[in-house]
């Protein structure tokens, strides 16, 4: 991959997301590099990509979102983001707004799952004195990895962005929060990267929610490593 720009941040939980407070650099109405944003990304409803091992939520056989359940299989897809602005020009103006102004809202209006990876661990059998992954399972896994890589390359080609902005959230964050937060970070950095959120099964509620999130983080370590390996 041409470049990998990683943002490994811990984010607080929030049920409603607004565009982050503009950096001081933008508050005088200048400096946001809107003219350098690739033309296909000068929109208020861009896609933000995700890789997740959350259990999918479905309706009518279609994936509509992801919850806090754990899935043995990763999925790759795109979340459709809607900024609360009527046009690109309006959004750029809101990007320069001061702290007392009205910031743009960020909503997730839908998801589209492109690739579902095989369950981990892959099936194996004893051979040659050890455990070996069943060849057919290894082939399927490699095919899914190539499909993921080809989709990222297609987005690089479509936008001309040669870097990937990776976001990994902390405890207490649900799926929507993860892609909304990334959308805000990506927008303020000038949209000159391909945004991909690795979102794991955090966001468990209740008195023991934090401890369930910690266990979910341990569960997701292997998937996170596989995700980064496929990007490399």
């Amino acid at each position: 991959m041409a470049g990998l720009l990683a943002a490994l941040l811990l984010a607080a939980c929030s049920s409603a997301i607004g565009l982050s407070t503009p950096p001081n650099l933008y508050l005088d109405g200048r400096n946001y590099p809107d003219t350098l944003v690739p033309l296909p990304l000068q929109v208020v409803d861009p896609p933000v990509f995700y890789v997740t091992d959350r259990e999918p939520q479905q309706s009518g056989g279609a994936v509509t979102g992801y919850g806090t359940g754990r899935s043995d299989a990763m999925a790759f897809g795109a979340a459709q983001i809607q900024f609360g602005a009527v046009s690109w020009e309006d959004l750029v103006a809101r990007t320069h707004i001061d702290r007392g102004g009205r910031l743009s809202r960020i909503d997730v209006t839908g998801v589209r799952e492109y690739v579902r990876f095989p369950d981990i661990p892959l099936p194996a059998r004893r051979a040659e004195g050890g455990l070996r992954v069943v060849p057919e399972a290894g082939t399927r896994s490699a095919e899914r990895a190539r499909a993921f890589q080809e989709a990222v390359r297609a987005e690089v080609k479509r936008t001309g962005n040669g870097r990937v902005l990776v976001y990994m959230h902390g405890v207490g964050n649900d799926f929507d929060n993860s892609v909304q937060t990334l959308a805000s970070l990506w927008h303020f950095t000038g949209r000159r990267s391909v945004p991909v959120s690795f979102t794991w099964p955090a966001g468990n509620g209740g008195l023991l929610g934090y401890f369930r999130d910690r266990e979910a983080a341990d569960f997701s370590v292997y998937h996170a490593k596989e995700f980064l390996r496929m990007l490399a």
Side-chain angles (χ1 to χ4, degrees):
M1 203 62 61
L4 176 62
L5 176 63
L8 218 61
L9 305 175
L10 299 181
C13 179
S14 176
S15 57
I17 294 290
L19 191 65
S20 301
T21 301
N24 290 335
L25 181 67
Y26 297 157
L27 291 184
D28 63 356
R30 298 177 298 172
N31 298 322
Y32 183 72
D34 53 294
T35 59
L36 299 179
V37 174
L39 190 59
L41 298 178
Q42 293 182 16
V43 295
V44 297
D45 57 347
V48 167
F49 299 95
Y50 64 85
V51 172
T52 186
D53 56 359
R54 294 175 181 269
E55 192 70 29
Q57 299 169 334
Q58 298 186 343
S59 178
V63 174
T64 58
Y66 299 88
T68 58
R70 303 171 193 175
S71 172
D72 290 332
M74 289 193 301
F76 164 67
Q80 197 66 42
I81 298 296
Q82 180 67 51
F83 286 85
V86 297
S87 65
W88 170 247
E89 291 74 19
D90 181 32
L91 180 56
V92 171
R94 290 169 185 263
T95 302
H96 292 109
I97 208 165
D98 64 24
R99 282 167 165 60
R102 186 165 58 90
L103 299 174
S104 174
R105 182 180 173 85
I106 304 176
D107 290 304
V108 179
T109 59
V111 298
R112 179 175 294 181
E113 188 174 293
Y114 296 143
V115 179
R116 178 152 288 272
F117 296 86
D119 287 355
I120 296 298
L122 297 176
R125 58 174 173 242
R126 288 193 176 277
E128 300 174 3
L131 283 177
R132 299 289 185 269
V133 172
V134 174
E136 295 81 0
T139 298
R140 286 194 298 271
S141 179
E143 288 173 348
R144 303 298 193 281
R146 283 195 297 270
F148 163 75
Q149 292 165 340
E150 288 168 2
V152 174
R153 289 191 189 101
E155 184 65 7
V156 168
K157 183 177 181 180
R158 183 180 79 91
T159 63
N161 286 329
R163 297 186 298 173
V164 177
L165 176 63
V166 174
Y167 174 71
M168 293 187 185
H169 57 77
V171 300
N173 288 257
D174 61 21
F175 174 82
D176 283 6
N177 182 272
S178 71
V179 292
Q180 289 166 322
T181 301
L182 175 56
S184 186
L185 292 169
W186 174 68
H187 176 70
F188 277 126
T189 55
R191 301 191 176 197
R192 285 178 284 177
S193 56
V194 176
V196 185
S197 174
F198 180 83
T199 173
W200 50 278
N204 290 278
L207 185 62
L208 300 178
Y210 171 78
F211 299 100
R212 294 192 183 98
D213 278 7
R214 282 192 59 184
E215 291 174 353
D218 291 338
F219 167 82
S220 297
V221 168
Y222 178 82
H223 286 148
K225 290 180 178 179
E226 280 296 286
F227 161 60
L228 294 174
R229 181 187 64 78
M230 291 188 297
L231 273 181

